[in-house]
Amino acid sequence: NKEYLQLLIDISIKLGKPQREFHNKLGDCHIADSEKHKKSFVVHDFYLKALKEYQKAGNKKKIEEVTLLIEKEKDNLKFKSIKTEYSSHELQEWYNRLDEMTTYLVEKGESKNIYQYLMCSDLIFPKAKVLDEKINSVMMDFVSTMTFDINRNMSGNKGGINSYHIHFQNFTLRHLWLVFSKGLKNGKISFNSLKDFLKNNTWYGVEFSIKNITDKTETYNWLQLLTPALDSYFMQSEIDIKTNTNSSSGYILSIDSLVLKFEGIIREFSRYNGAQTIDIKENGTQERTSFEKFLENEKIKELIPKDDIALFKFLFTSEGINLRNNIAHCFFKSKDYSKKIMMLLICALLKLGNYKLKTVTK
């Protein structure tokens, strides 16, 4: 039936005839197929195919019905995690050397040296070339794959294991944890030392001037907007250290604030370096350039190394953990927040703050 209906749609297109009826019937076929897979994740595939046909038919009633079915079926999505552990002499040697190196950095270096290391070291984060790498076994060639995001929506990401994410989970986070945990305990990583470093070594402390709607000049700097979140993070970190706990809810305020502020920071950076910050729609209305487009702008690519752009994509877009979308749409629950996200956000702030503005109004 589905092949026959698709043929009728193709013929109708060639003949310039309406296809609405056939799209509706094709959508009904997908819904009928979904009944055979109730309480299985596969049902989402049939719902999305049906939704696509109803959208082409302009059937608002059916669109609403299928959308509700998709949302309801999320409760039946239950995926078991499979944990594997791997150990070797080489891995243990790597960890021992990293432990020694970070101890030397934190004990012998000043606060400035630690922040410079987080800002500029090429040993912490994966390379840009592996962001799009997918590891697939031969078996994957014989099956269809479906991927779901944190909100249990089907995503457009391809199947396979991402090399960038593997590096992040197994090496980057361990690396950062050693630096931050040691630095927090001896006081060299602190609210005041980070605030002073950002003020003296990044453009976040630069005073910007803008004209408001009444033509009066207003001044501001980004450090004022960032410090409340940083203050909250360090207060919670101090509590965790003193009580030997690992709070998740205690980092909600700081993470929510910094994730949303980062888009404003990169927009400011783009604006002062002559990159496009406004898109014009076909109807003539204006909208802000999306976060993804900022990172694809050629002028930004000339100023920011590709490895750092890859990091920003991984942190804030659907190519990685998609913090911006998950925070802005409240997909994160309390358990999803953690100090490791704040470590990553601080590193992202340090990296973007390291690049200079071409034109600055003081």
Side-chain angles (χ1 to χ4, degrees):
N1 286 340
K2 287 182 285 188
E3 292 176 355
Y4 177 64
L5 286 167
Q6 187 59 58
L7 178 60
L8 290 176
I9 291 171
D10 294 339
I11 292 174
S12 298
I13 292 173
K14 290 181 179 295
L15 296 176
K17 301 292 184 179
Q19 305 107 47
R20 188 171 186 270
E21 177 186 359
F22 306 129
H23 281 301
N24 275 320
K25 289 184 176 180
L26 188 51
D28 293 341
C29 283
H30 291 307
I31 293 296
D33 281 344
S34 72
E35 294 297 323
K36 307 170 188 176
H37 302 276
K38 283 294 186 181
K39 295 187 178 180
S40 166
F41 68 90
V42 179
V43 75
H44 285 259
D45 188 43
F46 292 105
Y47 285 159
L48 291 176
K49 288 178 179 177
L51 183 62
K52 184 177 180 181
E53 298 303 324
Y54 292 139
Q55 287 173 332
K56 291 178 179 179
N59 193 332
K60 294 182 179 179
K61 181 181 178 181
K62 287 289 187 178
I63 291 172
E64 183 177 5
E65 289 177 1
V66 177
T67 302
L68 292 174
L69 285 173
I70 292 173
E71 193 66 30
K72 183 179 179 181
E73 198 61 31
K74 287 181 181 180
D75 294 335
N76 293 321
L77 278 176
K78 296 178 178 67
F79 297 114
K80 294 182 179 179
S81 61
I82 301 173
K83 183 179 180 180
T84 60
E85 295 185 1
Y86 176 79
S87 181
S88 70
H89 172 74
E90 290 80 9
L91 276 177
Q92 188 60 47
E93 184 68 19
W94 169 82
Y95 179 77
N96 292 339
R97 291 185 180 184
L98 181 63
D99 189 30
E100 293 174 3
M101 184 273 290
T102 52
T103 297
Y104 183 84
L105 170 69
V106 172
E107 291 184 355
K108 301 298 183 181
E110 301 296 328
S111 296
K112 180 179 180 179
N113 304 128
I114 299 172
Y115 296 134
Q116 286 175 334
Y117 179 75
L118 295 172
M119 176 187 278
C120 302
S121 174
D122 61 355
L123 303 175
I124 302 175
F125 297 98
K127 301 301 180 183
K129 63 181 181 180
V130 300
L131 182 61
D132 298 320
E133 277 187 7
K134 299 288 184 181
I135 301 173
N136 285 311
S137 66
V138 176
M139 183 181 295
M140 299 297 286
D141 295 333
F142 300 96
V143 298
S144 297
T145 59
M146 299 168 65
T147 56
F148 295 84
D149 61 20
I150 193 173
N151 198 40
R152 292 182 286 185
N153 292 320
M154 279 190 65
S155 70
N157 290 337
K158 299 178 181 179
I161 302 171
N162 182 252
S163 302
Y164 200 98
H165 194 269
I166 290 176
H167 190 292
F168 231 82
Q169 290 294 110
N170 293 284
F171 298 99
T172 296
L173 293 179
R174 179 67 60 89
H175 198 143
L176 291 178
W177 179 80
L178 287 172
V179 175
F180 273 85
S181 61
K182 294 172 183 179
L184 286 166
K185 286 179 180 178
N186 71 6
K188 290 185 180 179
I189 293 181
S190 66
F191 171 71
N192 287 328
S193 66
L194 180 56
K195 181 182 177 182
D196 290 342
F197 182 84
L198 293 175
K199 180 179 179 180
N200 298 321
N201 298 276
T202 71
W203 54 269
Y204 301 142
V206 171
E207 292 292 327
F208 293 94
S209 298
I210 59 171
K211 293 279 187 179
N212 63 21
I213 197 170
T214 62
D215 201 36
K216 291 183 178 180
T217 300
E218 295 180 351
T219 60
Y220 67 94
N221 68 62
W222 280 98
L223 194 57
Q224 296 169 338
L225 299 172
L226 297 174
T227 48
L230 297 175
D231 191 23
S232 175
Y233 161 69
F234 282 105
M235 284 194 294
Q236 185 59 51
S237 294
E238 186 176 349
I239 293 172
D240 283 356
I241 292 173
K242 289 181 178 179
T243 59
N244 195 28
T245 57
N246 187 11
S247 171
S248 57
S249 60
Y251 296 100
I252 293 176
L253 178 62
S254 54
I255 290 173
D256 282 356
S257 179
L258 281 190
V259 167
L260 299 181
K261 292 292 189 300
F262 197 84
E263 182 173 356
I265 293 170
I266 202 163
R267 177 176 287 111
E268 190 83 78
F269 182 80
S270 300
R271 183 165 69 93
Y272 269 84
N273 285 291
Q276 182 178 348
T277 58
I278 296 177
D279 290 331
I280 307 299
K281 296 183 178 180
E282 291 183 0
N283 61 6
T285 58
Q286 298 180 2
E287 68 176 2
R288 294 291 184 184
T289 299
S290 68
F291 190 94
E292 290 80 358
K293 283 189 177 181
F294 281 129
L295 299 181
E296 293 297 333
N297 189 286
E298 292 301 323
K299 291 185 178 180
I300 299 302
K301 287 182 177 180
E302 291 175 1
L303 297 168
I304 302 178
K306 58 184 179 181
D307 287 344
D308 285 354
I309 289 180
L311 172 63
F312 300 155
K313 285 183 178 180
F314 183 80
L315 292 180
F316 299 103
T317 76
S318 59
E319 293 191 42
I321 55 181
N322 211 0
L323 287 175
R324 179 186 172 277
N325 182 70
N326 292 330
I327 295 297
H329 295 94
C330 298
F331 292 153
F332 264 21
K333 303 300 184 286
S334 178
K335 65 179 178 59
D336 298 311
Y337 290 84
S338 67
K339 62 176 67 175
K340 68 181 181 182
I341 296 178
M342 273 303 298
M343 293 189 302
L344 294 170
L345 290 173
I346 289 173
C347 289
L349 286 176
L350 288 169
K351 285 183 174 295
L352 185 56
N354 189 36
Y355 303 109
K356 306 302 180 185
L357 303 178
K358 285 184 176 179
T359 307
V360 177
T361 303
K362 291 189 177 181

